[in-house]
Amino acid sequence: MSAAEHPELNHPEEMIRVDFDDRVMTITLTRPNALNALCKKLIMQLNSALDQAENDTRIGAIVITGSGKAFAAGADISEMKNLTFAEVAEKDFIKPWERLSQCQKPVIAAVNGYALGGGCEMAMMCDIIYASEAAQFSQPEITIGTMPGAGGTQRLTALIGKTKAMELCLTGRMISAQEAEAIGLVTRIFAAHDLMKEAMATAHKIAKFSAPVVRMIKESINNVAEASLVAGIRTERRLFQSTFALEDRKEGMMAFLEKRPAAFKNR
Ligand code: CAA
């Protein structure tokens, strides 16, 4: 199957690239100049590719990867900097990101570089996380006056436990792929040049099995703590949106964009 058979996925303003190899769809984030920051347009394009994969019986597995130095460095700070609490609450900002976590087909994250903030959260929405030796992970939102808003406090805690999740989310500390694997965030690590080969091999292997059985296994594993996860993610998103009422949130994002330390005033 070739990309030419899917013209609807060839977007004029591409933030992603979609490739097909037998029964595997690969989605590559292609905003390397902004470290694949997850702007609204990128999320819309990602969601439409996921819809396409979901509706196409020829697709049995999906691989998501980044480009350049990053898998994704989080939500787009320049797009968020002027948002008000009223706007983010009314539009339920971040909700469209949930599409990935609702995908019924198996998704492998092939983390090639930075997976920060929303980028780390996006990886955690996937079913398997393969990382290159050079990958780095963090939930750095606190350093820009906000908090994880796409499931980070919930999924990270489920994966690595409360105290490790607390330390990472409360300090924004960046960790190596090796540490991420040791604490259970990452499934397996590969040399950078082997990452895609290994992700594709696993995707092809899964895609050859019975699609309904694959779907049932995914649904069953996702059922673990599903009810509390759904409630927790909703609460987290509302708390995240509430940070947009803080002067500190605005100061943190402006400071990042102006490349200076933030001066928080606790209000
Ligand atoms: N949003 C928008 N732009 C971003 C970005 C982001 N999340 N991350 C990086 N960029 C941009 C930078 O502004 C810079 O743009 P210019 O070239 O126009 O100045 C470009 O990408 C390259 O970045 P740096 O110059 O900062 O590159 P570096 O190698 O010096 O540093 C880095 C790399 C440590 C990853 C640093 O870019 C960084 O800390 N990025 C921000 C990470 C972050 O705070 N993410 C959380 C976002 S909030 C969130 O995700 C909320 C949520 O839970 C949903």
Side-chain angles (χ1 to χ4, degrees):
M1 203 187 314
S2 75
E5 290 173 58
H6 295 266
E8 68 281 11
L9 291 176
N10 296 325
H11 302 275
E13 277 187 278
E14 284 181 10
M15 305 254 159
I16 63 169
R17 193 183 71 239
V18 179
D19 295 295
F20 300 90
D21 182 9
D22 196 12
R23 287 176 51 72
V24 178
M25 174 191 273
T26 304
I27 301 171
T28 306
L29 311 186
T30 53
R31 267 195 100 192
N33 292 346
L35 302 183
N36 299 319
L38 302 163
C39 61
K40 193 174 166 193
K41 198 174 280 174
L42 189 156
I43 295 294
M44 281 172 58
Q45 293 180 6
L46 173 66
N47 289 354
S48 92
L50 293 170
D51 289 345
Q52 181 69 23
E54 205 95 87
N55 292 326
D56 189 337
T57 53
R58 294 170 297 182
I59 302 297
I62 301 159
V63 174
I64 300 183
T65 193
S67 55
K69 289 196 296 186
F71 176 71
D76 190 312
I77 298 169
S78 48
E79 220 177 53
M80 287 188 292
K81 67 178 192 297
N82 290 324
L83 293 178
T84 64
F85 169 67
E87 286 166 339
V88 295
E90 191 210 324
K91 297 201 170 93
D92 205 2
F93 181 50
I94 296 292
K95 188 166 176 32
W97 293 42
E98 282 184 353
R99 174 68 188 86
L100 175 58
S101 63
Q102 291 159 353
C103 186
Q104 292 191 323
K105 295 194 174 172
V107 188
I108 300 174
V111 179
N112 53 301
Y114 292 123
L116 314 181
C120 186
E121 292 172 301
M122 178 182 278
M124 289 190 285
M125 287 182 210
C126 298
D127 303 308
I128 293 171
I129 305 180
Y130 283 180
S132 101
E133 286 167 342
Q136 289 178 281
F137 297 79
S138 77
Q139 293 296 155
E141 291 87 350
I142 195 163
T143 67
I144 56 165
T146 186
M147 61 177 281
T153 61
Q154 307 300 297
R155 291 195 178 91
L156 192 63
T157 306
L159 284 172
I160 70 174
K162 172 184 155 172
T163 64
K164 289 187 191 304
M166 282 287 185
E167 194 225 8
L168 293 185
C169 291
L170 291 177
T171 64
R173 182 169 73 86
M174 187 133 38
I175 61 172
S176 65
Q178 292 72 20
E179 182 173 354
E181 186 197 29
I183 62 179
L185 167 57
V186 158
T187 316
R188 292 171 70 189
I189 304 177
F190 301 99
H193 60 271
D194 286 333
L195 176 66
M196 281 311 288
K197 192 178 70 190
E198 296 287 350
M200 292 301 287
T202 299
H204 282 299
K205 183 170 190 176
I206 295 170
K208 284 195 175 71
F209 292 126
S210 161
V213 173
V214 167
R215 191 174 62 244
M216 287 171 203
I217 291 172
K218 176 164 173 165
E219 183 179 336
S220 192
I221 292 178
N222 277 341
N223 198 42
V224 178
E226 172 86 357
S228 64
L229 187 64
V230 168
I233 283 172
R234 197 179 307 121
T235 303
E236 179 201 75
R237 194 160 68 234
R238 284 304 187 193
L239 289 167
F240 165 72
Q241 290 165 355
S242 301
T243 68
F244 283 74
L246 297 172
E247 287 176 28
D248 284 344
R249 193 276 319 165
K250 177 110 190 195
E251 162 62 13
M253 291 188 180
M254 292 310 294
F256 172 79
L257 293 169
E258 291 164 8
K259 302 184 191 295
R260 61 172 172 80
F264 295 124
K265 298 201 172 97
N266 305 322
R267 56 176 188 248

